[in-house]
Amino acid sequence: MSQSTLLEEVVQWSPDTCRQELRSVLPKLTSLHHKSENWDDHIRILKIITDMFLPHIGLSEVESDCFSKVLPKAVQMFDSLIKEISNQVGGLSSQNTEVRALLRSILQAMVQIIDAMSACVRHVCSFEEAPDLDAIRSLPSCILRVLRDTFHHCKESGEVYCGRLSLVSDLLQGLFKEAYSLQKGLLELLDRISLDSSASEEEVSEIVTVIHNLLDICSVIPNLDIGLHGSTWKFIIKQSVKYQSLVEEHLRHGDISSSLCDSLLDSFCSCLELAEQIKNAGLQETAQSPEYKLFQKTAKLCRFFGNTLVHYIKEFKPFLTKYCRRFHQLYLQITSKFPPSLCAPTLPSPLSEELNAAALVPMEALLFKLLPLRPFAEVVLQQDQRFSPECELPQCLLLVSVLGQLASQPEEALQLWYNGSQFSEDTPRLPLYQAVFNSFRRCCIERRVPVLLQGVMMKGQAQGRVTLHQHVCVQLCASVAALPPVYFPMLERCLVEAVLQADTETALLATDVWCFTARYGTAELCLHHVLLIAHLVKTCAGECYQLSHVGLLLKRMVLLMAPNHQMELVERFPPSQVENLPVWRHILLKAFPHDARHRVETDVITLTQKTLADWQNGGYKLGEVDKVNMALLSLLVVVRGQSPPEDQCVLPAQRIVTQLWLRMCPNQVQTQPVLQCTLQLLLSISAVLVKSIEPQVICQALVCVAALVSQKCPAEVVLAALEFLASLGKVFVPHDSQSHILPRLSSLFGVLLADRSWLLHQHALEAFDHFAESTNHEVVLSESLSVEETKTKVMNYLSKTSCALEEVETQLERLKLETPVIEQHNERLETNEITIVNTSAAEMAVDSEPCPKRARQENSAEEEYGRYIETAQSALKALQALIKGDANTTAAPPQWLGSRLQDLQTLITQISNDQHTI
């Protein structure tokens, strides 16, 4: 009987005839099917087998008699159909009816193959008992192959058919629906199958293959159908967990976890795009709009992926340790799209809340699952790691979140995070506190904007929005309060390092935490830390950023000391010793009890007087001015510590200031940096004692300031000068001195108010405001504002007229440009410090023997002569100005002035004669 005759006869048979002839005819049909070369014959035979004979095959024979012989050929034929589409699609057009008909017939043939496979699934499902996997071995693999190719063809249909997709779109939709239905039926069938611990290696391998094939399908279908994507992943995870003990060592955990991360991130990004579209279209109030419903579906899928990833990590944690870097990256990528991140979109509250529930909540659960893993800690705490600008803040908040969750973790996790790497063979990692400070330092832009976060709960109510500094500080302090004592030395080391690094705000954060630690701990702990910090202050050589940071810390810590411990500090670092003056220049004496404060004041004033006397007796040598400056720094602390200054301090301090002002030569100040420092200190002290200073001393101070301001001078000197100028508003200048003081005062204000530096200009405005509030000499105000531009700026400041606000985008762009400059400056400071330390260490290593004392370097005779001549010349010019000023008033010079001038003339003649004699 020929093939055509057999097929024509079989299609006429009834179901009973098919059942009776099954054993004799089915082998012939499968043989014909295997040998078929064209699509029509293949489809015709396949349909006959699945529709007429398959229903009569028992479950035990279906694999051997039908599936293993028919399905591989069907897959082969399906592949050839897809290849033929690729070959013919180039000629597809509405005019080329032949190619169009051919392609449509191919798509119909593909649908019929899928329909035949669906019949196979339905037949197996029709049996009450669940089949063994061996009984249907060929079915899952063949179907999954066809499904993958189908979904891929549908996904790429836009590119495959180009602009002619409409000619076949109806058949493509039907193809996708059939494939969707086929996959749903197959998954239901596989879900009925159960494997126990006695399953064979072949069965385990088959279920692993099924999971991996479905994973491949998941890489194809994300953009096709949300429901299909979600149900496929749900089945993958369910089967993986169901057969965990059998398959865990065979699964491609890296591919599964990576694909889950990608799916989560893709769905989250889709949510963001939809939310932006809804916001821009104003549809957030329309809950029934198609866009909003799609957003909700996508958000639900996003939440599913997040929870699924957390569940998968929980079940297969030992196999996922080497993928922690990907999990860390995912956490940063998602949290970077939420406030307070600067790149987070601004969304309406309902959309934002749904996104939080869909993505942020699973991320916190993910972090909790990853905390105990050493590889995750090594990734998060890696040394010297850098992130993209948008991920710096999420990294900082991640570390802060870790701080909050560690309290519930076992001891092993605490050691892992708090201690950092302990042994050389460990992967290097930072202690958690150090990592927090380093990460906070890198959030330069966020600190300067500043970004705001939700405050912590207090008394059942949430605080308002707080800055990043406040948020991190509160979490650090809470962590310190719960820190086991064994980790306290590590905390101390991290605090010291943070205070001594170059970024000022990070040092301030460490200072805040250190002060909390001292206040929360015992009084003895506070004393111990203050003594340690005082020693650090003494060891800081010269003016440097470390001294500034440690000095501020010392000033704040002293406020927290018990009174008896403050007295002990005085005993340990007696102010009567010169080497301890660097310590007392940073201490606020108001914090001390009366007895301790009185002793410090007395010792400092006595030492300052002695230092000044030694300088005078030594011939006012320039090389000794540093000692005078150190004494003046401590004296400044004393006079500022009194409010108002007590008489016991005022009189000796006034004498010291007067003596030094009369020694100040404007020409020398212009050329000697050390004298500029002296001038700065004198100005600051004079600002406090201004009511006790004689008018001629004020005049000398203004002369020195004018000489220095006329050229480029250090900003700190100008700031001290402004402080002094502002304080002069409290003084009524005597009539006979007004002509010397007021014009100079007006001139200085005019110059400083016109300064181009925004910092100095702002301080100049504030100083002028303070002066104007209390002065009786209104003529100074009008004379200072003789320039119209300066007058306008001052009036705007006094009327609190605000400048045009900078656009947010412009501000961010500016901060992005400024941040690298600041970071490079800080790094340069630290690099220079390290270089200096290394150089000193190298010199010490080379010089095994102490160096001989260096011969004392005296100033040259020419410099000595020049200095004294400049001093005399400056004093005589000041006297001349005073005499001319008095000539314009009714006040006459004192009667003794003439005789004293004659004495000076005689002395000058004698010096000139001595010179010729030599």
Side-chain angles (χ1 to χ4, degrees):
M1 183 181 299
S2 66
Q3 172 181 332
S4 58
T5 304
L6 177 61
L7 296 178
E8 290 174 1
E9 181 180 345
V10 167
V11 296
Q12 305 296 324
W13 289 356
S14 65
D16 290 337
T17 305
C18 290
R19 183 174 58 254
Q20 294 170 2
E21 300 296 331
L22 177 65
R23 297 301 173 189
S24 60
V25 175
L26 183 59
K28 297 178 182 179
L29 292 175
T30 56
S31 176
L32 291 174
H33 177 261
H34 184 72
K35 295 176 181 179
S36 60
E37 295 296 337
N38 62 71
W39 305 327
D40 292 336
D41 290 344
H42 171 82
I43 299 298
R44 183 182 182 189
I45 298 171
L46 181 62
K47 293 294 289 180
I48 290 173
I49 293 174
T50 55
D51 292 347
M52 302 181 66
F53 290 91
L54 181 61
H56 306 294
I57 304 175
L59 187 58
S60 58
E61 296 89 16
V62 70
E63 170 66 20
S64 58
D65 293 352
C66 182
F67 291 167
S68 62
K69 298 176 179 178
V70 173
L71 294 180
K73 178 65 175 181
V75 173
Q76 179 183 349
M77 190 59 64
F78 196 87
D79 289 343
S80 67
L81 291 173
I82 292 180
K83 290 179 182 178
E84 187 63 20
I85 290 178
S86 301
N87 294 333
Q88 299 295 332
V89 72
L92 178 61
S93 67
S94 56
Q95 290 80 21
N96 194 336
T97 56
E98 181 179 350
V99 173
R100 177 183 178 185
L102 174 62
L103 291 177
R104 291 182 65 85
S105 65
I106 293 174
L107 289 172
Q108 290 170 348
M110 292 167 65
V111 171
Q112 289 178 318
I113 292 176
I114 291 176
D115 183 63
M117 290 184 170
S118 297
C120 296
V121 173
R122 289 193 297 270
H123 174 65
V124 177
C125 290
S126 65
F127 297 98
E128 292 185 2
E129 70 274 18
D132 292 331
L133 197 55
D134 279 342
I136 56 169
R137 181 177 292 115
S138 303
L139 185 65
S141 59
C142 292
I143 290 179
L144 291 174
R145 172 74 179 276
V146 168
L147 288 175
R148 184 193 63 190
D149 292 345
T150 302
F151 292 139
H152 184 269
H153 185 74
C154 293
K155 177 183 179 181
E156 303 297 329
S157 58
E159 297 180 7
V160 172
Y161 298 96
C162 299
R164 303 174 292 275
L165 182 61
S166 60
L167 300 177
V168 293
S169 59
D170 56 331
L171 292 177
L172 283 173
Q173 291 176 1
L175 179 67
F176 177 79
K177 290 179 180 179
E178 289 295 328
Y180 190 114
S181 177
L182 174 58
Q183 177 169 313
K184 181 180 178 182
L186 176 64
L187 298 188
E188 290 175 355
L189 170 60
L190 293 174
D191 198 33
R192 294 175 57 192
I193 299 174
S194 295
L195 299 180
D196 54 26
S197 57
S198 62
S200 65
E201 291 184 7
E202 290 77 9
E203 290 177 315
V204 172
S205 177
E206 288 165 8
I207 200 67
V208 169
T209 301
V210 167
I211 293 173
H212 288 163
N213 286 338
L214 286 170
L215 180 63
D216 293 339
I217 289 176
C218 282
S219 66
V220 177
I221 60 176
N223 298 324
L224 289 178
D225 187 272
I226 291 178
L228 176 64
H229 194 201
S231 63
T232 306
W233 265 114
K234 185 176 181 180
F235 182 83
I236 290 174
I237 302 304
K238 182 178 180 180
Q239 294 296 303
S240 300
V241 175
K242 180 179 179 180
Y243 303 117
Q244 181 174 353
S245 60
L246 299 174
V247 302
E248 60 183 3
E249 295 184 356
H250 305 286
L251 291 177
R252 302 197 319 249
H253 294 289
D255 292 341
I256 294 175
S257 60
S258 178
S259 185
L260 266 178
C261 291
D262 292 341
S263 297
L264 170 58
L265 192 59
D266 290 343
S267 59
F268 174 69
C269 292
S270 297
C271 281
L272 284 179
E273 292 176 5
L274 288 169
E276 289 273 21
Q277 294 173 11
I278 292 172
K279 183 191 75 170
N280 296 334
L283 300 174
Q284 57 266 24
E285 303 299 332
T286 311
Q288 299 303 316
S289 66
E291 292 84 357
Y292 193 83
K293 288 182 178 180
L294 179 58
F295 168 80
Q296 288 181 314
K297 287 182 180 180
T298 310
K300 183 178 180 181
L301 183 65
C302 178
R303 182 166 54 250
F304 163 76
F305 282 128
N307 293 333
T308 300
L309 179 61
V310 172
H311 181 59
Y312 190 77
I313 291 174
K314 174 187 174 184
E315 297 297 334
F316 297 96
K317 190 179 297 183
F319 299 92
L320 297 172
T321 54
K322 54 185 176 182
Y323 310 112
C324 286
R325 187 173 299 279
R326 180 68 181 93
F327 302 146
H328 178 223
Q329 183 184 25
L330 174 71
Y331 185 98
L332 298 183
Q333 288 174 315
I334 288 183
T335 53
S336 68
K337 301 302 181 183
F338 286 93
S341 177
L342 294 174
C343 60
T346 303
L347 300 175
S349 181
L351 300 178
S352 179
E353 289 174 0
E354 288 198 49
L355 269 179
N356 285 346
L360 272 190
V361 173
M363 286 301 99
E364 290 306 310
L366 174 70
L367 180 59
F368 186 79
K369 294 298 180 186
L370 295 173
L371 272 184
L373 299 182
R374 174 176 290 271
F376 182 70
E378 291 172 348
V379 168
V380 175
L381 301 176
Q382 181 181 341
Q383 295 180 356
D384 301 324
Q385 60 180 334
R386 287 285 184 173
F387 301 96
S388 59
E390 61 270 14
C391 287
E392 291 289 7
L393 178 62
Q395 169 71 3
C396 183
L397 297 180
L398 183 155
L399 293 167
V400 170
S401 184
V402 171
L403 280 174
Q405 294 192 26
L406 277 183
S408 60
Q409 294 294 319
E411 179 64 25
E412 293 78 8
L414 300 185
Q415 294 178 3
L416 178 66
W417 287 91
Y418 281 137
N419 282 336
S421 52
Q422 299 291 302
F423 306 102
S424 58
E425 59 269 20
D426 289 346
T427 300
R429 67 181 189 280
L430 298 173
L432 178 58
Y433 288 113
Q434 185 179 350
V436 171
F437 286 123
N438 290 353
S439 182
F440 177 81
R441 173 175 172 170
R442 291 194 295 270
C443 296
C444 184
I445 297 178
E446 288 80 3
R447 288 187 275 128
R448 297 174 65 200
V449 169
V451 298
L452 298 177
L453 298 91
Q454 188 64 45
V456 299
M457 297 290 292
M458 293 184 65
K459 298 181 180 179
Q461 294 183 346
Q463 286 185 328
R465 313 288 284 178
V466 299
T467 64
L468 180 63
H469 182 113
Q470 291 172 295
H471 175 75
V472 176
C473 183
V474 168
Q475 298 301 325
L476 280 169
C477 292
S479 173
V480 169
L483 188 68
V486 68
Y487 302 110
F488 200 74
M490 170 277 309
L491 170 65
E492 291 176 317
R493 289 194 298 272
C494 293
L495 289 175
V496 170
E497 290 182 6
V499 168
L500 294 179
Q501 51 80 58
D503 184 70
T504 300
E505 190 168 355
T506 305
L508 289 175
L509 175 63
T511 299
D512 291 338
V513 177
W514 201 329
C515 290
F516 171 82
T517 304
R519 189 179 183 91
Y520 189 79
T522 63
E524 287 71 20
L525 175 66
C526 184
L527 172 64
H528 171 70
H529 281 179
V530 168
L531 296 178
L532 169 68
I533 297 164
H535 280 293
L536 282 175
V537 170
K538 284 185 65 174
T539 57
C540 284
E543 294 295 327
C544 57
Y545 67 86
Q546 292 97 332
L547 181 60
S548 175
H549 297 168
V550 179
L552 176 61
L553 175 61
L554 179 62
K555 179 182 293 186
R556 292 180 57 181
M557 292 284 283
V558 167
L559 297 173
L560 306 176
M561 298 178 73
N564 60 317
H565 289 161
Q566 290 177 331
M567 183 59 76
E568 184 174 345
L569 178 64
V570 177
E571 298 292 343
R572 294 283 193 96
F573 297 90
S576 58
Q577 299 177 5
V578 176
E579 61 269 20
N580 292 326
L581 289 183
V583 174
W584 292 101
R585 61 174 282 198
H586 296 286
I587 292 178
L588 192 63
L589 294 183
K590 291 180 181 180
F592 280 66
H594 181 269
D595 293 342
R597 184 171 70 247
H598 179 71
R599 175 179 170 180
V600 173
E601 292 168 352
T602 303
D603 287 353
V604 169
I605 291 176
T606 302
L607 184 57
T608 305
Q609 291 172 329
K610 181 179 181 304
T611 303
L612 197 58
D614 292 342
W615 185 48
Q616 180 179 1
N617 296 333
Y620 299 108
K621 287 185 170 57
L622 197 62
E624 301 296 319
V625 176
D626 280 332
K627 296 180 180 179
V628 176
N629 290 345
M630 183 56 65
L632 289 178
L633 277 170
S634 301
L635 181 63
L636 178 60
V637 172
V638 169
V639 297
R640 281 178 172 173
Q642 303 294 330
S643 182
E646 297 179 2
D647 292 339
Q648 64 182 13
C649 298
V650 170
L651 189 56
Q654 176 197 352
R655 290 173 180 169
I656 293 171
V657 169
T658 300
Q659 182 181 356
L660 285 171
W661 272 124
L662 295 178
R663 291 296 309 172
M664 298 299 290
C665 172
N667 293 337
Q668 279 189 309
V669 171
Q670 287 178 326
T671 59
Q672 299 295 336
V674 68
L675 290 179
Q676 293 175 7
C677 181
T678 307
L679 175 63
Q680 175 189 344
L681 294 169
L682 283 176
L683 289 168
S684 297
I685 297 173
S686 301
V688 180
L689 304 176
V690 67
K691 291 184 179 181
S692 306
I693 298 179
E694 295 295 329
Q696 61 268 29
V697 177
I698 294 177
C699 182
Q700 174 69 3
L702 294 176
V703 169
C704 290
V705 171
L708 201 58
V709 169
S710 63
Q711 62 178 18
K712 186 175 179 61
C713 64
E716 54 268 23
V717 177
V718 179
L719 294 177
L722 288 169
E723 180 186 8
F724 174 66
L725 295 181
S727 71
L728 292 177
K730 306 173 186 176
V731 177
F732 178 78
V733 181
H735 186 71
D736 57 351
S737 300
Q738 289 182 7
S739 60
H740 307 299
I741 294 177
L742 300 187
R744 288 188 172 91
L745 188 55
S746 300
S747 175
L748 282 172
F749 266 128
V751 171
L752 295 174
L753 285 169
D755 199 290
R756 295 300 178 185
S757 166
W758 67 267
L759 177 64
L760 298 182
H761 178 67
Q762 178 64 26
H763 279 271
L765 290 172
E766 295 175 5
F768 188 79
D769 185 19
H770 293 156
F771 177 86
E773 286 178 352
S774 52
T775 188
N776 292 316
H777 303 290
E778 296 185 359
V779 65
V780 174
L781 305 181
S782 58
E783 291 295 330
S784 301
L785 305 179
S786 58
V787 178
E788 192 63 30
E789 181 183 359
T790 302
K791 182 178 180 179
T792 302
K793 291 180 179 179
V794 172
M795 297 307 297
N796 288 339
Y797 173 80
L798 295 178
S799 61
K800 296 181 172 57
T801 302
S802 60
C803 301
L805 294 178
E806 189 177 27
E807 294 290 338
V808 175
E809 294 78 8
T810 306
Q811 180 194 25
L812 289 179
E813 288 302 319
R814 174 176 57 80
L815 292 177
K816 288 177 181 178
L817 295 175
E818 294 174 354
T819 297
V821 179
I822 296 173
E823 291 176 346
Q824 290 171 10
H825 172 71
N826 289 336
E827 291 172 1
R828 186 163 55 250
L829 288 176
E830 293 174 336
T831 303
N832 291 342
E833 193 69 25
I834 293 172
T835 302
I836 292 171
V837 171
N838 290 341
T839 304
S840 301
E843 291 173 353
M844 291 177 63
V846 171
D847 299 333
S848 57
E849 293 295 329
C851 295
K853 289 187 177 180
R854 187 169 52 182
R856 179 178 177 183
Q857 300 295 319
E858 296 288 353
N859 293 327
S860 67
E862 185 176 350
E863 289 181 358
E864 289 283 309
Y865 282 115
R867 185 169 71 253
Y868 288 128
I869 286 294
E870 287 177 356
T871 302
Q873 187 178 15
S874 175
L876 290 174
K877 285 183 177 179
L879 180 61
Q880 183 183 27
L882 187 61
I883 293 173
K884 288 183 178 179
D886 289 340
N888 298 327
T889 64
T890 57
Q895 296 180 358
W896 48 262
L897 180 61
S899 61
R900 295 291 296 275
L901 287 175
Q902 188 63 43
D903 293 340
L904 285 175
Q905 181 64 45
T906 302
L907 179 59
I908 293 172
T909 303
Q910 183 180 353
I911 292 172
S912 179
N913 292 334
D914 291 342
Q915 176 189 6
H916 292 301
T917 301
I918 294 173

